[in-house]
């Protein structure tokens, strides 16, 4: 996998000038943990819920001019960490506060603030990823106060799970911060449940007694970091399909919103639409102001930018800018112009028909499954026959036969789309991983088999009817 060397230099220099940060790396293979992780990635997630909890507070600047974010507490403490963990933690600490307060503005005390939850991804130079979950809130008290952010760093990608954990953290913070840490210690000592399983945490709260908190991971591992409600609240089905098309073609896409939670949820949702393929390029769900120059990178990316920084996105050539704001006159500030002609008409109609079946009051799991399977149709119909075009080679491996694959397309109307799609890095990496598998049996493979079996039955029935007639 390739690094974007020039972008590394620009971002690191900019971080160094702004905050003395030099170890945050934006890597071409940065990918959302909303998308399905490969087997290699899953082995690095570990068994703990989280690595540490941080409290990021707004403190007076040294020159007295406004406030700036600073890490004021961390759990577990540094002294209980090993040397390697301390070094890893120090690299992370240099970046976290930028993502908890990415606006780059002069903060001031507030009397009212509606707490919000969002997430970001930290990617090391070696490609390993950690997820940052953040709950920003106004501390309990009276009068004007400065905001605080509780941030959990974890190898686990599961936004809904950590939102529930933050609910418990916020509930305890309203009584006393001292009540947060026993709960987090219990959580840290508990085993991470497998997808579809539940773990129960006992926690004592004065005046309430011992509470039992049930934490359940979704059964579909590639959807556990996703909630499609926000995406479809901001965009129509047709608009989502257009964004999906641009993402499949690995283009430069910027999402604009005032709300951090909207940006993080929408970007993770868009990446999840690509399943079973994984976004292989730059992915920053919330771009801090100090990193805004990343928008000028010539390589593909998915970026979330707050609306007050839109004017800083000066290079808009070959760029899709999507405005997620309520009441936006147009959702697409800039387009390339060919997005609506890339997907075959029949495939678009099938996706839109499948999306129309969703219920208005569908729960998250129900909506996630329906939406995921609707977009999965595109890949099943167009490239689902890939498994029939591997040739055995020396060493027990397999080699993909691209020419025979293209000749074997079910519909010739798919040829233009598929020809472009198989040139993407997400398809290339998918095939590389498939070449090493001896007996793949994932969700996508099963869906492809079901479709192919159904097509065989339909052809047989058509043949029989023709013979009878």
């Amino acid at each position: 996998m390739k690094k974007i060397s020039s972008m590394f230099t620009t971002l690191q220099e900019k971080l160094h000038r702004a905050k003395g940060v030099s170890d945050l790396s934006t890597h071409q293979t940065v990918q959302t943990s909303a998308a399905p992780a490969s087997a290699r990635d899953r082995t690095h997630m570990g068994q703990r819920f989280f690595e540490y909890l941080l409290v990021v507070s707004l403190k007076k600047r040294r020159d007295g001019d406004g406030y700036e974010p600073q890490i004021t507490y961390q759990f577990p403490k540094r002294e209980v960490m090993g040397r390697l963990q301390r070094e890893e933690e120090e690299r992370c600490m240099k970046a976290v506060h930028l993502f908890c307060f990415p606006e780059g503005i002069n903060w001031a005390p507030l009397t009212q603030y509606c707490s919000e939850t969002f997430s970001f991804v930290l990617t090391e130079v070696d490609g390993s990823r950690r997820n940052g979950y953040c709950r920003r809130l106004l501390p309990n008290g009276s009068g004007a106060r400065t905001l605080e952010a509780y941030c959990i760093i974890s190898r686990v990608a599961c936004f809904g799970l950590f939102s529930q954990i933050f609910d418990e953290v916020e509930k305890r913070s309203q009584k006393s911060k001292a009540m947060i840490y026993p709960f987090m210690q219990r959580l840290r000592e508990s085993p991470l449940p497998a997808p579809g399983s539940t773990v129960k945490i006992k926690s004592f709260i004065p005046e309430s007694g011992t509470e039992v908190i049930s934490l359940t991971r979704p059964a579909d591992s590639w959807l556990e970091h996703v909630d499609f409600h926000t995406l479809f609240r901001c965009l129509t089905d047709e608009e989502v399909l257009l964004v999906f098309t641009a993402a499949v073609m690995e283009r430069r896409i910027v999402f604009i919103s005032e709300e951090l939670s909207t940006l993080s949820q929408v970007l993770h949702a868009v990446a999840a639409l690509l399943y079973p393929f994984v976004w292989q390029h730059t992915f920053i769900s919330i771009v801090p102001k100090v990193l805004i120059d990343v928008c000028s990178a010539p390589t593909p990316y998915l970026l979330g930018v707050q609306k007050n920084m839109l004017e800083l996105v000066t290079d808009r050539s070959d760029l899709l800018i999507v405005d997620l704001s309520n009441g936006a006159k147009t959702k697409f500030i800039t387009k390339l112009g060919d997005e609506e002609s890339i997907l075959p008409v029949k495939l678009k109609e099938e996706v839109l028909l499948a999306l129309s079946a969703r219920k208005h009051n569908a729960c998250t799991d129900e909506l996630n499954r329906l939406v995921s399977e609707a977009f999965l149709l595109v890949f099943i119909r167009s490239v689902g026959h890939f498994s029939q075009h591997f040739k055995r080679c020396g060493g027990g491996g397999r080699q993909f036969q691209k020419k025979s694959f293209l000749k074997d397309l079910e519909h010739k109307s798919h040829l233009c789309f598929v020809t472009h799609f198989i040139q993407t890095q997400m398809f290339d990496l998918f095939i590389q991983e498939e070449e090493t598998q001896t007996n793949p049996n994932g969700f996508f493979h099963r869906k492809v088999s079901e479709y192919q079996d159904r097509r065989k039955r339909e052809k047989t029935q058509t043949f029989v009817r023709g013979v009878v007639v």
Side-chain angles (χ1 to χ4, degrees):
M1 296 182 182
K2 303 175 182 177
K3 297 176 186 175
I4 312 174
S5 300
S6 61
M7 193 166 73
F8 271 171
T9 304
T10 302
L11 297 184
Q12 290 181 349
E13 288 178 352
K14 200 166 183 67
L15 282 166
H16 183 74
R17 290 196 302 270
K19 295 288 182 180
V21 178
S22 59
D23 294 326
L24 176 65
S25 296
T26 302
H27 192 284
Q28 188 172 357
T29 59
V30 175
Q31 63 193 38
T32 174
S33 41
S38 66
R40 179 186 69 254
D41 296 326
R42 282 193 289 269
T43 61
H44 294 306
M45 287 183 180
Q47 297 302 311
R48 284 180 171 171
F49 271 93
F50 70 99
E51 294 186 0
Y52 35 84
L53 167 73
L54 308 173
V55 178
V56 181
S57 306
L58 291 174
K59 296 295 184 181
K60 275 276 190 181
R61 296 181 185 272
R62 290 182 180 179
D63 59 9
D65 183 20
Y67 294 79
E68 63 180 1
Q70 297 177 12
I71 295 174
T72 55
Y73 186 89
Q74 70 179 71
F75 171 83
K77 297 286 189 179
R78 282 176 56 90
E79 53 266 24
V80 302
M81 296 180 179
R83 180 180 62 83
L84 292 177
Q85 189 180 7
R86 282 200 304 271
E87 291 176 357
E88 185 178 19
E89 175 261 353
E90 285 172 0
R91 289 194 295 270
C92 177
M93 293 299 180
K94 292 179 180 179
V96 166
H97 66 287
L98 294 175
F99 288 93
C100 292
F101 290 90
E103 292 87 348
I105 62 175
N106 288 325
W107 290 94
L110 303 172
T111 56
Q112 290 184 331
Y113 183 82
C114 184
S115 65
E116 60 179 333
T117 306
F118 53 93
S119 65
F120 53 88
V121 178
L122 297 174
T123 302
E124 303 297 334
V125 174
D126 64 1
S128 61
R129 300 182 303 280
R130 283 183 288 181
N131 302 282
Y133 302 93
C134 187
R135 172 72 62 91
R136 283 203 326 203
L137 51 82
L138 197 60
N140 198 28
S142 58
R145 291 99 68 202
T146 55
L147 294 177
E148 281 187 342
Y150 289 86
C151 182
I152 296 175
I153 305 299
S154 174
R155 299 282 181 184
V156 181
C158 189
F159 185 84
L161 189 71
F162 284 93
S163 292
Q164 186 180 351
I165 291 171
F166 275 131
D167 290 342
E168 298 298 328
V169 168
E170 185 170 359
K171 180 168 67 176
R172 285 159 177 75
S173 72
Q174 292 173 352
K175 294 180 179 291
S176 169
K177 282 187 179 179
M179 296 175 56
I180 297 173
Y181 310 114
F183 167 70
M184 296 303 293
Q185 180 62 39
R186 288 287 186 117
L187 186 66
R188 187 173 169 81
E189 294 170 351
S190 300
L192 178 70
S197 300
T198 300
V199 67
K200 295 185 178 182
I201 310 292
K202 289 185 178 181
S203 177
F204 178 78
I205 299 180
E207 302 176 2
S208 300
T210 300
E211 290 187 353
V212 178
I213 299 111
S214 296
L215 300 171
T216 302
R217 289 181 68 184
D220 299 323
S221 59
W222 75 92
L223 293 174
E224 63 180 348
H225 199 50
V226 182
D227 183 346
F228 285 118
H229 281 102
T230 302
L231 176 62
F232 285 91
R233 174 177 56 81
C234 295
L235 302 174
T236 65
D237 294 0
E238 290 78 10
E239 289 166 345
V240 171
L241 189 57
L242 187 148
V243 171
F244 166 78
T245 302
V248 167
M249 292 291 102
E250 293 187 336
R251 293 185 170 178
R252 299 160 68 230
I253 309 176
V254 172
F255 296 88
I256 303 296
S257 177
E258 295 92 346
E259 300 174 355
L260 299 176
S261 56
T262 296
L263 289 175
S264 67
Q265 289 175 28
V266 166
L267 266 82
H268 285 294
V270 169
L273 295 178
L274 302 175
Y275 177 81
F277 304 94
V278 180
W279 181 258
Q280 294 298 316
H281 302 274
T282 301
F283 178 97
I284 308 178
S285 58
I286 297 171
V287 178
K289 188 175 182 179
V290 70
L291 294 182
I292 196 64
D293 284 353
V294 72
C295 296
S296 299
T299 49
Y301 54 61
L302 296 177
L303 304 178
V305 174
Q306 288 181 281
K307 196 163 188 177
N308 62 349
M309 291 192 282
L310 177 59
E311 62 183 22
L312 301 178
V313 183
T314 54
D315 179 11
R316 301 186 182 185
S317 58
D318 299 328
L319 184 63
L320 177 65
I321 300 181
V322 187
D323 191 346
L324 304 172
S325 306
N326 292 328
K329 292 182 179 179
T330 175
K331 290 295 183 181
F332 300 109
I333 297 174
T334 63
K335 290 194 298 184
L336 272 69
D338 64 346
E339 292 90 350
E340 295 181 1
S341 62
I342 293 173
L343 277 183
V345 174
K346 185 66 174 177
L347 286 180
K348 290 196 292 185
E349 290 175 349
E350 289 189 52
V351 173
L352 293 173
L353 179 62
L355 290 176
S356 68
R358 70 183 186 275
K359 300 175 182 176
H360 177 70
N361 59 347
C363 67
T364 297
D365 289 347
E366 183 181 352
L367 178 65
N368 283 358
R369 175 57 73 108
L370 185 145
V371 171
S372 179
E373 293 193 11
F375 284 89
L376 197 62
L377 289 171
V378 172
F379 301 123
I380 291 174
R381 303 284 199 272
S382 61
V383 298
H385 61 295
F386 74 95
S387 61
Q388 302 167 21
H389 297 276
F390 285 99
K391 181 180 179 181
R392 293 288 177 183
C393 54
R398 304 188 300 166
Q399 189 173 35
F400 183 61
Q401 305 298 302
K402 188 178 293 185
K403 288 185 178 179
S404 65
F405 165 79
L406 286 174
K407 288 181 180 179
D408 196 30
L409 288 175
E410 183 176 1
H411 299 287
K412 297 307 177 186
S413 61
H414 295 174
L415 181 60
C416 183
F417 165 69
V418 174
T419 300
H420 285 89
F421 178 57
I422 63 176
Q423 297 177 42
T424 63
Q425 285 197 24
M426 71 176 81
F427 183 84
D428 186 53
L429 184 65
F430 176 81
I431 292 299
Q432 287 181 37
E433 293 188 347
E434 287 293 316
E435 288 176 334
T436 64
Q437 301 296 319
T438 55
N439 187 29
N441 188 35
F443 180 78
F444 179 59
H445 300 86
R446 295 195 297 272
K447 284 294 181 181
V448 168
S449 294
E450 291 173 7
Y451 171 71
Q452 291 174 344
D453 290 344
R454 187 167 64 251
R455 290 291 294 167
K456 289 178 182 178
R457 290 195 301 270
E458 290 172 353
K459 288 181 180 179
T460 300
Q461 291 170 0
T462 300
F463 175 77
V464 171
R465 283 196 298 268
V467 171
V468 172
V469 173

